[in-house]
Amino acid sequence: KAGVTQTPRYLIKTRGQQVTLSCSPISGHRSVSWYQQTPGQGLQFLFEYFSETQRNKGNFPGRFSGRQFSNSRSEMNVSTLELGDSALYLCASSLVGFSSTDTQYFGPGTRLTVL
Amino acid sequence: AQSVTQLGSHVSVSEGALVLLRCNYSSSVPPYLFWYVQYPNQGLQLLLKYTSAATLVKGINGFEAEFKKSETSFHLTKPSAHMSDAAEYFCAVTADGNNRLAFGKGNQVVVIP
């Protein structure tokens, strides 16, 4: 079974631009979560989607948004990019995510650099 | 809200020696605890997880962890370090009904030949 895939793997943008990252979950998984990883703040939860609805949201500004499609694929968007948005963005999928016994499987991440 | 603390950002261990990574958690409800490993330029791979069954949890690559409620700990161990264990290790916690993982700061493990 194919794992979680994320595209693109690397992105370079300039301040003020916007960016869209894509995540395809493991087949059959319906929950998709996004995390931001930076050297200073570590791994931080952005949001989670299930059945095309945002179910959980972390403490990030409104410039960070996401959506999920009927096939469970998810995208996240960052508008008006700032230098501090440079990070590794990780996507994780799980079967349903209702139970904490459900395991989240991570993709390889998208490395975003903002210049 | 749940949180975890990992002390010592960098851990050096000799090849063949014991690997011990400490994780202490804070949770007002019964926690579910995870250890993930991250190799350079890769995502996170699950090593093991505690979900209230056995307190001693065995994972992949010879790692294991023990849940101790009285000490609010979930330390990760491996009896004998291998060069391939060089990576960053993250402890994470969540609670029932919530798929939101809270991660520790991570331990960068260096294996000395």
Side-chain angles (χ1 to χ4, degrees):
Chain A
K1 188 182 276 190
V4 178
T5 58
Q6 293 187 245
T7 57
R9 291 293 310 278
Y10 302 91
L11 264 179
I12 299 176
K13 293 286 186 178
T14 57
R15 279 179 299 174
Q17 288 187 310
Q18 74 166 17
V19 67
T20 299
L21 313 182
S22 181
C23 171
S24 292
I26 293 171
S27 178
H29 284 194
R30 295 169 61 194
S31 169
V32 174
S33 298
W34 289 88
Y35 295 84
Q36 182 196 63
Q37 185 178 23
T38 60
Q41 299 300 316
L43 280 153
Q44 294 184 286
F45 173 81
L46 279 156
F47 30 63
E48 181 209 5
Y49 285 86
F50 177 79
S51 292
E52 302 177 64
T53 301
Q54 188 180 85
R55 188 163 62 178
N56 271 304
K57 188 177 188 305
N59 297 322
F60 279 82
R63 299 186 296 107
F64 292 82
S65 63
R67 60 177 176 168
Q68 187 180 34
F69 302 94
S70 58
N71 62 357
S72 294
R73 190 177 70 85
S74 177
E75 290 181 347
M76 68 163 281
N77 183 276
V78 188
S79 62
T80 319
L81 283 167
E82 300 176 0
L83 294 178
D85 297 333
S86 294
L88 180 68
Y89 290 88
L90 292 164
C91 165
S93 78
S94 59
L95 277 170
V96 290
F98 285 140
S99 168
S100 297
T101 59
D102 203 356
T103 298
Q104 292 190 47
Y105 296 90
F106 284 79
T110 294
R111 172 76 62 185
L112 172 64
T113 302
V114 182
L115 302 176
Chain B
Q2 294 77 39
S3 66
V4 295
T5 301
Q6 292 179 250
L7 297 178
S9 60
H10 285 77
V11 176
S12 293
V13 59
S14 297
E15 190 176 15
L18 172 72
V19 179
L20 170 61
L21 303 180
R22 299 179 188 275
C23 173
N24 288 89
Y25 70 89
S26 173
S27 178
S28 58
V29 296
Y32 297 90
L33 295 154
F34 305 80
W35 276 99
Y36 282 89
V37 62
Q38 185 177 34
Y39 298 99
N41 299 316
Q42 294 188 26
L44 303 177
Q45 180 183 8
L46 180 71
L47 279 176
L48 47 81
K49 63 181 182 181
Y50 166 76
T51 56
S52 77
T55 56
L56 182 62
V57 182
K58 294 188 183 299
I60 61 171
N61 301 340
F63 284 94
E64 64 180 37
E66 186 172 9
F67 173 74
K68 292 186 177 180
K69 185 178 178 180
S70 61
E71 299 178 8
T72 61
S73 69
F74 190 58
H75 302 332
L76 181 71
T77 60
K78 181 175 180 177
S80 176
H82 191 272
M83 295 300 293
S84 61
D85 294 327
E88 191 156 21
Y89 293 79
F90 295 93
C91 182
V93 64
T94 188
D96 197 31
N98 187 334
N99 206 29
R100 173 179 181 161
L101 288 169
F103 286 90
K105 292 293 188 184
N107 294 121
Q108 184 69 52
V109 172
V110 175
V111 182
I112 303 167

